[in-house]
Amino acid sequence: MPAVPGTQPRLSETAQHLVRRFTYGYNRRLEADVLRHTSLDAWLETQVKAGPDPDADAVLNWFPRLKDSPDTAWENNKAERYGGWQYGDDLVKYSLARRVVATNQVHEMMVDFWSNLLHIPVGEGSSFPWRMHYDTHAIRPHALGTYRALLRAAVTHPAMSGYLSNHRNTKTQINENLGRELLELYTVGRTAGYTEDDVKGSARLLTGFTVGVNKDFAAGYDPAKHHVGPVTVMGRTFTNAAADGRAELNAYLDWLAMRPETAARIARRLCVRFIRDDPPQSSVDAVTGTYLSSGSDISACLRTLVRDPGFLASKFQKARTPAEDVLATQRACDIVPTGAGPDSHVNSFSWLCSWIGQAPFQWPRPDGSPEQSDTYLSPARLLRGWTARSWMANANGEVKKGTRPLPRDLVPPVWPLALEDLVHHQAVMMTGRRATTETVNGVATLMAKAPSHVFKAEWERNEGHMTWMLTLVRTAILSAPEAMLR
């Protein structure tokens, strides 16, 4: 038989590994984007610079309510025209749809990473009018910049003040909530040995910010509410002499961002996300060193991470989270959303993520969803994941407000065709790599045929039979263990 085109990978194993870790899943458009660059390093440099991404930006137009001002959102909620939970649901769908269509995949991945570290649940009552603004003005602009700038933008944002009660934090009535989480979750961590007095000092430096929670949600800064006077945190004294304490607060946040304990915690979290659940200490140390020497430059940290031996040796040692699983399957099946609304395919995104085991942006505590793979590897997740992938892999499945390839566009133009060649062709098309021997044999068992079984041209002409067979093959490939791993 003639050689079958499309049964050999076009990306190197190193490139395959990089895109598994730093994108929401392989598809042929991603492959073409990598290959049009002179090298893998050149592709990564383009990604960390995060240039224009018009297809991803256009997704916001599908959710016009997300453009509402905070006061409009609050008025809509009060009048029961559009509730806080609906704004939250729109933000989830918007974010997931962006991840499917975006060219700047590394940027989307890092937006998710920082949104999880600096977590504010969507739809939360004291922050929802500002939650979209938090995404567009605090997280996204700084996701590949410096952590110092990101920390400033996130901690002083009205959504954070509302969520962690900093709007109630004044010189006459200290509220420790944000001051505590700033130390415990966002910077140095509990092991740094800070005291309750340090927490109170942290809170005092955060006084002055105002948000009209449950009034009009107007946000600002009131010097009359700011605590003035020396404040000591972890042995460092801040003079804090001005009524407007924002300059001193920025100095405090910068100092926290550049503490060695913060560098080590951010580095470890990056390595857990992108290397493995128990990353080599040498990898953590390498990223920590870059963080400190670069002034917390996130892109520099990523460059160090991807070139580290620990990263290169970690192939298939991270499982996808349920949300990543859903999005990777959408991309593998080349299902592209084109709009939103009651009957749209986008509506299935957040539902499938939750059904499989992870409700995006809805973790109930400020510490964010766990980054460890084993958190999500329950039997129920596996069973529901197999079911969901069978729905998405249906070669003839209906997609409303979205596109997917026709069945005839999925098969190679070479007949007769051996079953094992068909499996490899589909695997390369959807995952960028050939199927394992176990997957080929599993598909053969599923179809009660030998791997060497040859399909004749008549099979191609019977579109109904071809679609059914393709769905079985594609479901088996997407549900193989290696397809669920990053």
PDB file of all heavy atoms in Angstrom, residues 242-262:
ATOM      1  N   ALA A 242       2.953  59.871  55.355  1.00  0.00           N
ATOM      2  CA  ALA A 242       2.014  60.673  54.558  1.00  0.00           C
ATOM      3  C   ALA A 242       0.581  60.218  54.771  1.00  0.00           C
ATOM      4  O   ALA A 242       0.307  59.031  54.975  1.00  0.00           O
ATOM      5  CB  ALA A 242       2.379  60.592  53.085  1.00  0.00           C
ATOM      6  N   ALA A 243      -0.345  61.178  54.698  1.00  0.00           N
ATOM      7  CA  ALA A 243      -1.763  60.830  54.793  1.00  0.00           C
ATOM      8  C   ALA A 243      -2.169  59.912  53.640  1.00  0.00           C
ATOM      9  O   ALA A 243      -2.955  58.979  53.823  1.00  0.00           O
ATOM     10  CB  ALA A 243      -2.612  62.097  54.797  1.00  0.00           C
ATOM     11  N   ASP A 244      -1.641  60.187  52.452  1.00  0.00           N
ATOM     12  CA  ASP A 244      -1.856  59.284  51.318  1.00  0.00           C
ATOM     13  C   ASP A 244      -0.740  58.250  51.362  1.00  0.00           C
ATOM     14  O   ASP A 244       0.408  58.525  51.009  1.00  0.00           O
ATOM     15  CB  ASP A 244      -1.815  60.061  50.007  1.00  0.00           C
ATOM     16  CG  ASP A 244      -2.181  59.189  48.799  1.00  0.00           C
ATOM     17  OD1 ASP A 244      -1.980  57.952  48.869  1.00  0.00           O
ATOM     18  OD2 ASP A 244      -2.658  59.739  47.799  1.00  0.00           O
ATOM     19  N   GLY A 245      -1.075  57.056  51.815  1.00  0.00           N
ATOM     20  CA  GLY A 245      -0.056  56.032  52.060  1.00  0.00           C
ATOM     21  C   GLY A 245       0.233  55.125  50.888  1.00  0.00           C
ATOM     22  O   GLY A 245       0.917  54.106  51.056  1.00  0.00           O
ATOM     23  N   ARG A 246      -0.235  55.473  49.702  1.00  0.00           N
ATOM     24  CA  ARG A 246      -0.077  54.538  48.580  1.00  0.00           C
ATOM     25  C   ARG A 246       1.378  54.354  48.148  1.00  0.00           C
ATOM     26  O   ARG A 246       1.775  53.251  47.758  1.00  0.00           O
ATOM     27  CB  ARG A 246      -0.956  54.986  47.407  1.00  0.00           C
ATOM     28  CG  ARG A 246      -2.429  54.687  47.642  1.00  0.00           C
ATOM     29  CD  ARG A 246      -3.326  55.205  46.548  1.00  0.00           C
ATOM     30  NE  ARG A 246      -3.465  56.654  46.610  1.00  0.00           N
ATOM     31  CZ  ARG A 246      -4.313  57.349  45.858  1.00  0.00           C
ATOM     32  NH1 ARG A 246      -5.096  56.707  44.984  1.00  0.00           N
ATOM     33  NH2 ARG A 246      -4.386  58.664  45.962  1.00  0.00           N
ATOM     34  N   ALA A 247       2.171  55.418  48.215  1.00  0.00           N
ATOM     35  CA  ALA A 247       3.582  55.271  47.851  1.00  0.00           C
ATOM     36  C   ALA A 247       4.294  54.341  48.834  1.00  0.00           C
ATOM     37  O   ALA A 247       5.099  53.477  48.428  1.00  0.00           O
ATOM     38  CB  ALA A 247       4.261  56.640  47.830  1.00  0.00           C
ATOM     39  N   GLU A 248       4.004  54.470  50.122  1.00  0.00           N
ATOM     40  CA  GLU A 248       4.620  53.586  51.109  1.00  0.00           C
ATOM     41  C   GLU A 248       4.110  52.162  50.952  1.00  0.00           C
ATOM     42  O   GLU A 248       4.867  51.192  51.112  1.00  0.00           O
ATOM     43  CB  GLU A 248       4.316  54.113  52.511  1.00  0.00           C
ATOM     44  CG  GLU A 248       5.171  53.520  53.600  1.00  0.00           C
ATOM     45  CD  GLU A 248       6.579  54.101  53.645  1.00  0.00           C
ATOM     46  OE1 GLU A 248       7.199  54.324  52.583  1.00  0.00           O
ATOM     47  OE2 GLU A 248       7.069  54.329  54.748  1.00  0.00           O
ATOM     48  N   LEU A 249       2.831  52.015  50.594  1.00  0.00           N
ATOM     49  CA  LEU A 249       2.290  50.670  50.357  1.00  0.00           C
ATOM     50  C   LEU A 249       2.992  50.021  49.176  1.00  0.00           C
ATOM     51  O   LEU A 249       3.345  48.828  49.234  1.00  0.00           O
ATOM     52  CB  LEU A 249       0.785  50.740  50.093  1.00  0.00           C
ATOM     53  CG  LEU A 249       0.140  49.413  49.673  1.00  0.00           C
ATOM     54  CD1 LEU A 249       0.259  48.368  50.782  1.00  0.00           C
ATOM     55  CD2 LEU A 249      -1.315  49.614  49.274  1.00  0.00           C
ATOM     56  N   ASN A 250       3.226  50.779  48.116  1.00  0.00           N
ATOM     57  CA  ASN A 250       3.933  50.212  46.961  1.00  0.00           C
ATOM     58  C   ASN A 250       5.334  49.751  47.351  1.00  0.00           C
ATOM     59  O   ASN A 250       5.807  48.706  46.890  1.00  0.00           O
ATOM     60  CB  ASN A 250       4.007  51.233  45.829  1.00  0.00           C
ATOM     61  CG  ASN A 250       2.692  51.389  45.099  1.00  0.00           C
ATOM     62  OD1 ASN A 250       1.848  50.486  45.131  1.00  0.00           O
ATOM     63  ND2 ASN A 250       2.506  52.520  44.438  1.00  0.00           N
ATOM     64  N   ALA A 251       6.002  50.528  48.203  1.00  0.00           N
ATOM     65  CA  ALA A 251       7.329  50.114  48.676  1.00  0.00           C
ATOM     66  C   ALA A 251       7.233  48.819  49.470  1.00  0.00           C
ATOM     67  O   ALA A 251       8.094  47.930  49.348  1.00  0.00           O
ATOM     68  CB  ALA A 251       7.951  51.225  49.527  1.00  0.00           C
ATOM     69  N   TYR A 252       6.195  48.703  50.281  1.00  0.00           N
ATOM     70  CA  TYR A 252       5.978  47.482  51.072  1.00  0.00           C
ATOM     71  C   TYR A 252       5.714  46.287  50.149  1.00  0.00           C
ATOM     72  O   TYR A 252       6.302  45.203  50.323  1.00  0.00           O
ATOM     73  CB  TYR A 252       4.795  47.713  52.011  1.00  0.00           C
ATOM     74  CG  TYR A 252       4.317  46.481  52.758  1.00  0.00           C
ATOM     75  CD1 TYR A 252       5.173  45.724  53.537  1.00  0.00           C
ATOM     76  CD2 TYR A 252       2.961  46.108  52.699  1.00  0.00           C
ATOM     77  CE1 TYR A 252       4.719  44.604  54.232  1.00  0.00           C
ATOM     78  CE2 TYR A 252       2.500  44.994  53.382  1.00  0.00           C
ATOM     79  CZ  TYR A 252       3.378  44.244  54.144  1.00  0.00           C
ATOM     80  OH  TYR A 252       2.922  43.139  54.830  1.00  0.00           O
ATOM     81  N   LEU A 253       4.847  46.465  49.148  1.00  0.00           N
ATOM     82  CA  LEU A 253       4.532  45.367  48.231  1.00  0.00           C
ATOM     83  C   LEU A 253       5.763  44.959  47.425  1.00  0.00           C
ATOM     84  O   LEU A 253       6.003  43.760  47.200  1.00  0.00           O
ATOM     85  CB  LEU A 253       3.390  45.774  47.300  1.00  0.00           C
ATOM     86  CG  LEU A 253       2.026  46.005  47.964  1.00  0.00           C
ATOM     87  CD1 LEU A 253       1.012  46.541  46.958  1.00  0.00           C
ATOM     88  CD2 LEU A 253       1.505  44.716  48.610  1.00  0.00           C
ATOM     89  N   ASP A 254       6.544  45.937  46.976  1.00  0.00           N
ATOM     90  CA  ASP A 254       7.770  45.618  46.247  1.00  0.00           C
ATOM     91  C   ASP A 254       8.741  44.840  47.119  1.00  0.00           C
ATOM     92  O   ASP A 254       9.401  43.888  46.665  1.00  0.00           O
ATOM     93  CB  ASP A 254       8.447  46.901  45.747  1.00  0.00           C
ATOM     94  CG  ASP A 254       7.680  47.570  44.622  1.00  0.00           C
ATOM     95  OD1 ASP A 254       6.719  46.970  44.100  1.00  0.00           O
ATOM     96  OD2 ASP A 254       8.043  48.716  44.270  1.00  0.00           O
ATOM     97  N   TRP A 255       8.853  45.250  48.373  1.00  0.00           N
ATOM     98  CA  TRP A 255       9.750  44.556  49.308  1.00  0.00           C
ATOM     99  C   TRP A 255       9.290  43.120  49.524  1.00  0.00           C
ATOM    100  O   TRP A 255      10.106  42.187  49.504  1.00  0.00           O
ATOM    101  CB  TRP A 255       9.763  45.322  50.632  1.00  0.00           C
ATOM    102  CG  TRP A 255      10.559  44.677  51.726  1.00  0.00           C
ATOM    103  CD1 TRP A 255      11.912  44.577  51.815  1.00  0.00           C
ATOM    104  CD2 TRP A 255      10.034  44.049  52.902  1.00  0.00           C
ATOM    105  NE1 TRP A 255      12.279  43.919  52.974  1.00  0.00           N
ATOM    106  CE2 TRP A 255      11.137  43.586  53.663  1.00  0.00           C
ATOM    107  CE3 TRP A 255       8.748  43.840  53.391  1.00  0.00           C
ATOM    108  CZ2 TRP A 255      10.990  42.921  54.870  1.00  0.00           C
ATOM    109  CZ3 TRP A 255       8.604  43.186  54.602  1.00  0.00           C
ATOM    110  CH2 TRP A 255       9.698  42.731  55.333  1.00  0.00           C
ATOM    111  N   LEU A 256       7.989  42.927  49.700  1.00  0.00           N
ATOM    112  CA  LEU A 256       7.468  41.564  49.851  1.00  0.00           C
ATOM    113  C   LEU A 256       7.698  40.739  48.587  1.00  0.00           C
ATOM    114  O   LEU A 256       8.069  39.560  48.655  1.00  0.00           O
ATOM    115  CB  LEU A 256       5.972  41.601  50.163  1.00  0.00           C
ATOM    116  CG  LEU A 256       5.549  41.987  51.577  1.00  0.00           C
ATOM    117  CD1 LEU A 256       4.028  42.025  51.662  1.00  0.00           C
ATOM    118  CD2 LEU A 256       6.107  41.004  52.612  1.00  0.00           C
ATOM    119  N   ALA A 257       7.450  41.353  47.422  1.00  0.00           N
ATOM    120  CA  ALA A 257       7.599  40.615  46.161  1.00  0.00           C
ATOM    121  C   ALA A 257       9.026  40.132  45.960  1.00  0.00           C
ATOM    122  O   ALA A 257       9.251  39.069  45.372  1.00  0.00           O
ATOM    123  CB  ALA A 257       7.181  41.502  44.986  1.00  0.00           C
ATOM    124  N   MET A 258      10.000  40.872  46.464  1.00  0.00           N
ATOM    125  CA  MET A 258      11.396  40.517  46.242  1.00  0.00           C
ATOM    126  C   MET A 258      12.036  39.793  47.426  1.00  0.00           C
ATOM    127  O   MET A 258      13.240  39.566  47.435  1.00  0.00           O
ATOM    128  CB  MET A 258      12.207  41.771  45.887  1.00  0.00           C
ATOM    129  CG  MET A 258      11.819  42.393  44.552  1.00  0.00           C
ATOM    130  SD  MET A 258      11.796  41.188  43.179  1.00  0.00           S
ATOM    131  CE  MET A 258      13.489  40.612  43.182  1.00  0.00           C
ATOM    132  N   ARG A 259      11.250  39.438  48.419  1.00  0.00           N
ATOM    133  CA  ARG A 259      11.780  38.622  49.516  1.00  0.00           C
ATOM    134  C   ARG A 259      12.183  37.245  48.978  1.00  0.00           C
ATOM    135  O   ARG A 259      11.499  36.668  48.121  1.00  0.00           O
ATOM    136  CB  ARG A 259      10.733  38.440  50.605  1.00  0.00           C
ATOM    137  CG  ARG A 259      10.363  39.693  51.363  1.00  0.00           C
ATOM    138  CD  ARG A 259      11.282  39.972  52.513  1.00  0.00           C
ATOM    139  NE  ARG A 259      11.363  38.864  53.472  1.00  0.00           N
ATOM    140  CZ  ARG A 259      11.890  38.983  54.681  1.00  0.00           C
ATOM    141  NH1 ARG A 259      12.362  40.141  55.092  1.00  0.00           N
ATOM    142  NH2 ARG A 259      11.950  37.949  55.501  1.00  0.00           N
ATOM    143  N   PRO A 260      13.284  36.665  49.475  1.00  0.00           N
ATOM    144  CA  PRO A 260      13.674  35.316  49.028  1.00  0.00           C
ATOM    145  C   PRO A 260      12.588  34.281  49.254  1.00  0.00           C
ATOM    146  O   PRO A 260      12.422  33.353  48.439  1.00  0.00           O
ATOM    147  CB  PRO A 260      14.919  35.018  49.871  1.00  0.00           C
ATOM    148  CG  PRO A 260      15.455  36.354  50.249  1.00  0.00           C
ATOM    149  CD  PRO A 260      14.268  37.255  50.390  1.00  0.00           C
ATOM    150  N   GLU A 261      11.813  34.430  50.351  1.00  0.00           N
ATOM    151  CA  GLU A 261      10.744  33.460  50.618  1.00  0.00           C
ATOM    152  C   GLU A 261       9.667  33.528  49.536  1.00  0.00           C
ATOM    153  O   GLU A 261       9.125  32.506  49.114  1.00  0.00           O
ATOM    154  CB  GLU A 261      10.104  33.731  51.982  1.00  0.00           C
ATOM    155  CG  GLU A 261      11.073  33.678  53.163  1.00  0.00           C
ATOM    156  CD  GLU A 261      11.590  35.044  53.532  1.00  0.00           C
ATOM    157  OE1 GLU A 261      11.712  35.910  52.631  1.00  0.00           O
ATOM    158  OE2 GLU A 261      11.884  35.254  54.735  1.00  0.00           O
ATOM    159  N   THR A 262       9.352  34.751  49.088  1.00  0.00           N
ATOM    160  CA  THR A 262       8.367  34.906  48.011  1.00  0.00           C
ATOM    161  C   THR A 262       8.891  34.296  46.728  1.00  0.00           C
ATOM    162  O   THR A 262       8.165  33.578  46.017  1.00  0.00           O
ATOM    163  CB  THR A 262       8.053  36.394  47.797  1.00  0.00           C
ATOM    164  OG1 THR A 262       7.567  36.960  49.014  1.00  0.00           O
ATOM    165  CG2 THR A 262       7.013  36.577  46.709  1.00  0.00           C
TER     166      THR A 262
END
